[in-house]
Amino acid sequence: MTSPVLPSLKPGRHNLIPHLVVAVGIAITAFPLWVAFVASTLSNPEIAQAPMPLLPGNQAVANYGEALVQGGRSGRILTPPVWEMMLNSTVMALSIAVGKIIISILSAYAVVFFRFPFRMAFFWMIFITLMLPVEVRIVPTIQVITNLNMMNSYAGLTIPLIASATATLLFRQFFMTIPDELVEAAQIDGAGPMKFFRDIVLPLSVTNIAALFVILFLYGWNQYLWPLLIGTDARMQTIVIGMSKMIDSAGGPTDWNMVMATAILALLPPVLVVVLMQRWFVKGLVETEK
Amino acid sequence: MERKVVYPQKLLPYLLVAPQIAITLVFFFWPAGQAIWMSTLLQDPLGFSVQFVGLENFEAVLKDPAYLATLQRTFLFSFGVTALAMIPALLLAVMVDRVVRGATAYRTVLVIPYAIAPAVAGALWLFLFQPSIGTIAYPLRFLGIDWNPRIDGTDAMIVVVIASAWKQIGYNFLFFLAGLQSIPKSLLEAAAIDGATEVRRFWTIVFPLLSPTTFFLLVINITYAFFDTFGVIHAVTQGGPGKSTEVLIYKAWYDGLIAQDLGRSSAQAVILMVIVIGLTVIQFRYVERRVHY
């Protein structure tokens, strides 16, 4: 246990205040989530009677069941059943996470453990992708996707988002710290580069891979603009898009209980991944931002 | 830093970098090059005639009062999001650092919003602020405040700022707490023995030592407000009412894909690109210093 940064000169007097402030902070943070959860268990007339109740109602099974199997509606537009959209989101998040980890670990391995012409040119080509988020070059990227006939496909949904340098940089940094002696010893034992990669480098990278996986899963699951443009077909819709389409932006009636049930279902997987893999998440966050 | 021991293979490294280079070429360099090229062209909306106009699109964009208004709005929005995401995070980090016990549990709860999609966060806050039924809008109306983010631009801006900042507090908290916990305790104890008050100790010791973290977070939060809040704005206000919540990234997207003004949209994309490069350079230059604490 570490001692606090600001040791109080009068112990006892200040012990309550920090707890209180933190409690208020947490209450504010959690409040929208609680209200959303409560709304997802109410009927629409119950939500409409202001002020809305702040304790859960008895419609949870009905609402979640309807959302999962039938989907919601906004005006006359029906959104696909949530389970279908969650499947799309899962495919997207997993493909981005796994795809990015694989291509990044391979290219980082090449850049660190080999000397070859254009090595640094390749490295800078990868590095420069940091400068331009997909949102910025959206119009021409869509044209490329159209040209390649990748609209409304999982490939179109995921591959363009895989091209980014953060994971490569992270692996490169980590590979630099592997001692030369280890590489020499492997070479003396006659291990070729791929054997060294499989038997030494990969096992050593497990923590980094886990950390990156959490960050990238989140990144993929929470994407908005890209799936909005690529998944124009309802069959390709992700849950985040589906949820936002259920809100009637024209100001017409919105089935808030359905929207909130869908929102809760949409946020559950990424939140679970973060809470369950917290240690790796924090590690990945701190290291990728460096 | 370079390795001394490497493998001699000639072909293998090319095979290993090939997948990433291929994807980068097709989905990054091709469209990015297109964006820069299109920013110098004038095309009619149907694509029948194309004319090279050099930097005219940039001139037109930078002289356009609507663009300048969006620029100003984006700064206001980013300032709001950054301040609202960082100040409470610092306060919470200082407090959690003092209670020590339970820090992990607090961290878990506070970081949850970071895992939530911006569009979903937007929906949650939009619901709370719904004029007729919202749990927060209700007491506002009760107090006689005429609240309607569907009609009033300021109200809409408040909703998108709060939703965007809410998401980011846990992230900032995480970094502030790590920064606080790595400050040498002996420094503070010495100051305490010398009779420095708690507030004084914070401003003269803790805050300066925390400045690399603060600066890093400042850059990250500005980048976030500029580029990652598209989902919040699109899902909650669609840039409206009027143009009151339209920020740069939203305008570039709107002008390009909805209004089909490719030249100007590309010029805007290139301007945004310059902003990102600037922010990234600053980040990399100062990131090394962050390691000092």
Side-chain angles (χ1 to χ4, degrees), chain B residues 8-292:
Chain B
Q9 274 78 355
K10 294 275 175 276
L11 184 65
L12 186 61
Y14 292 101
L15 291 177
L16 292 172
V17 292
Q20 184 155 17
I21 293 295
I23 292 175
T24 307
L25 279 175
V26 175
F27 296 104
F28 181 83
F29 281 98
W30 185 7
Q34 284 273 314
I36 294 169
W37 175 235
M38 282 195 306
S39 70
T40 65
L41 300 178
L42 188 66
Q43 4 189 330
D44 74 71
L46 297 172
F48 286 130
S49 73
V50 179
Q51 192 194 346
F52 180 80
V53 292
L55 295 177
E56 262 176 45
N57 283 322
F58 290 92
E59 209 187 324
V61 165
L62 291 172
K63 277 185 179 162
D64 181 4
Y67 185 78
L68 296 177
T70 307
L71 190 67
Q72 202 180 7
R73 199 178 301 121
T74 309
F75 282 123
L76 184 75
F77 171 77
S78 304
F79 176 78
V81 172
T82 304
L84 205 59
M86 283 181 69
I87 295 167
L90 178 60
L91 179 70
L92 286 170
V94 169
M95 294 305 165
V96 167
D97 185 55
R98 294 171 69 181
V99 296
V100 180
R101 206 172 305 158
T104 320
Y106 292 138
R107 190 184 71 184
T108 309
V109 179
L110 285 170
V111 94
I112 283 176
Y114 184 71
I116 297 172
V120 175
L124 300 187
W125 284 96
L126 180 66
F127 179 59
L128 288 172
F129 280 116
Q130 269 299 299
S132 51
I133 56 169
T135 307
I136 296 180
Y138 179 78
L140 286 178
R141 205 172 34 163
F142 195 74
L143 293 170
I145 298 168
D146 189 15
W147 172 267
N148 193 345
R150 289 260 183 249
I151 297 167
D152 187 288
T154 313
D155 293 357
M157 187 57 116
I158 290 172
V159 177
V160 289
V161 166
I162 290 179
S164 307
W166 175 72
K167 245 194 80 53
Q168 198 68 0
I169 288 178
Y171 178 92
N172 295 336
F173 166 81
L174 224 59
F175 277 83
F176 274 134
L177 189 62
L180 284 171
Q181 290 185 334
S182 57
I183 291 174
K185 309 295 173 244
S186 50
L187 268 178
L188 297 154
E189 276 154 21
I193 290 164
D194 286 347
T197 64
E198 239 174 275
V199 176
R200 206 178 144 75
R201 271 176 279 156
F202 180 81
W203 287 116
T204 56
I205 303 173
V206 178
F207 196 71
L209 285 174
L210 217 51
S211 62
T213 310
T214 311
F215 186 79
F216 166 78
L217 287 177
L218 206 59
V219 176
I220 292 287
N221 280 278
I222 293 171
T223 315
Y224 163 77
F226 259 75
F227 300 105
D228 293 336
T229 49
F230 180 90
V232 177
I233 291 171
H234 189 266
V236 172
T237 65
Q238 310 246 311
K243 294 281 180 195
S244 57
T245 53
E246 188 185 69
V247 293
L248 288 177
I249 187 122
Y250 195 87
K251 186 172 170 57
W253 165 81
Y254 185 89
D255 288 357
L257 280 161
I258 308 294
Q260 296 280 318
D261 187 348
L262 294 182
R264 289 204 186 174
S265 169
S266 305
Q268 291 180 38
V270 174
I271 294 169
L272 276 172
M273 181 165 88
V274 173
I275 297 175
V276 193
I277 292 174
L279 286 171
T280 312
V281 169
I282 295 173
Q283 197 182 320
F284 269 84
R285 285 195 99 160
Y286 286 86
V287 144
E288 294 308 315
R289 296 193 194 171
R290 202 166 63 88
V291 185
H292 285 295

Side-chain angles (χ1 to χ4, degrees), chain A residues 78-99:
Chain A
L78 287 168
T79 54
V82 164
W83 73 265
E84 244 179 67
M85 300 194 290
M86 286 187 93
L87 194 66
N88 287 339
S89 291
T90 310
V91 172
M92 184 173 178
L94 287 180
S95 309
I96 288 176
V98 174

Side-chain angles (χ1 to χ4, degrees), chain A residues 3 5 7 19 26 29 107 113 115 117 119 131 135-137 168 175-176 178 196 222 224 270 278 289, chain B residues 1-3 7 14 20 27 97 106-108 115 166 171 180 185 188 201 234 249 269 273 276 290:
Chain A
S3 65
V5 158
H19 277 288
I26 285 185
T29 309
S107 56
F113 287 96
R115 292 287 165 276
R119 186 176 67 102
M131 306 285 182
E135 284 84 358
V136 174
R137 55 193 155 89
T168 315
F175 290 165
M176 301 277 229
I178 294 177
F196 180 68
N222 291 342
Y224 185 83
Q278 215 178 131
E289 298 298 1
Chain B
M1 194 163 73
E2 292 281 312
R3 297 203 72 92
Y7 281 97
Y14 292 101
Q20 184 155 17
F27 296 104
D97 185 55
Y106 292 138
R107 190 184 71 184
T108 309
W166 175 72
Y171 178 92
L180 284 171
K185 309 295 173 244
L188 297 154
R201 271 176 279 156
H234 189 266
I249 187 122
M273 181 165 88
V276 193
R290 202 166 63 88

Side-chain angles (χ1 to χ4, degrees), chain A residues 18-264:
Chain A
H19 277 288
L20 265 173
V21 174
V22 174
V24 171
I26 285 185
I28 294 172
T29 309
F31 184 65
L33 293 168
W34 174 252
V35 174
F37 169 70
V38 171
S40 74
T41 64
L42 298 172
S43 68
N44 264 330
E46 282 173 313
I47 293 176
Q49 50 152 276
M52 187 193 102
L54 282 175
L55 290 173
N58 57 9
Q59 297 294 307
V61 178
N63 289 344
Y64 282 94
E66 194 187 329
L68 275 166
V69 183
Q70 289 177 0
R73 105 186 62 75
S74 160
R76 277 169 303 161
I77 306 165
L78 287 168
T79 54
V82 164
W83 73 265
E84 244 179 67
M85 300 194 290
M86 286 187 93
L87 194 66
N88 287 339
S89 291
T90 310
V91 172
M92 184 173 178
L94 287 180
S95 309
I96 288 176
V98 174
K100 210 160 174 165
I101 288 171
I102 291 176
I103 66 162
S104 306
I105 202 167
L106 291 179
S107 56
Y109 185 68
V111 169
V112 173
F113 287 96
F114 296 87
R115 292 287 165 276
F116 53 103
F118 305 114
R119 186 176 67 102
M120 285 323 277
F122 286 138
F123 178 71
W124 284 107
M125 276 170 73
I126 294 167
F127 184 82
I128 208 165
T129 59
L130 279 185
M131 306 285 182
L132 206 52
V134 73
E135 284 84 358
V136 174
R137 55 193 155 89
I138 199 82
V139 179
T141 312
I142 293 290
Q143 289 181 341
V144 170
I145 295 290
T146 318
N147 288 340
L148 295 176
N149 223 348
M150 282 164 67
M151 288 296 272
N152 285 310
S153 71
Y154 284 127
L157 211 49
T158 54
I159 296 174
L161 297 180
I162 288 176
S164 129
T166 41
T168 315
L169 291 176
L170 178 69
F171 282 124
R172 176 177 173 266
Q173 246 174 342
F174 172 65
F175 290 165
M176 301 277 229
T177 66
I178 294 177
D180 279 328
E181 291 75 18
L182 199 59
V183 190
E184 263 167 345
Q187 285 178 343
I188 290 166
D189 285 349
M194 287 327 282
K195 191 172 165 54
F196 180 68
F197 178 75
R198 200 184 56 226
D199 292 349
I200 310 282
V201 173
L202 219 47
L204 284 175
S205 313
V206 166
T207 325
N208 282 304
I209 293 174
L212 264 177
F213 179 83
V214 185
I215 303 279
L216 295 174
F217 182 86
L218 233 62
Y219 168 80
W221 186 279
N222 291 342
Q223 279 299 313
Y224 185 83
L225 181 53
W226 193 247
L228 182 72
L229 298 172
I230 298 298
T232 48
D233 192 310
R235 299 253 138 215
M236 290 303 295
Q237 213 158 74
T238 63
I239 175 124
V240 173
I241 301 295
M243 181 229 59
S244 61
K245 283 200 173 158
M246 288 163 71
I247 302 169
D248 193 289
S249 51
T254 299
D255 283 342
W256 282 108
N257 55 358
M258 280 294 138
V259 178
M260 289 300 132
T262 312
I264 296 283

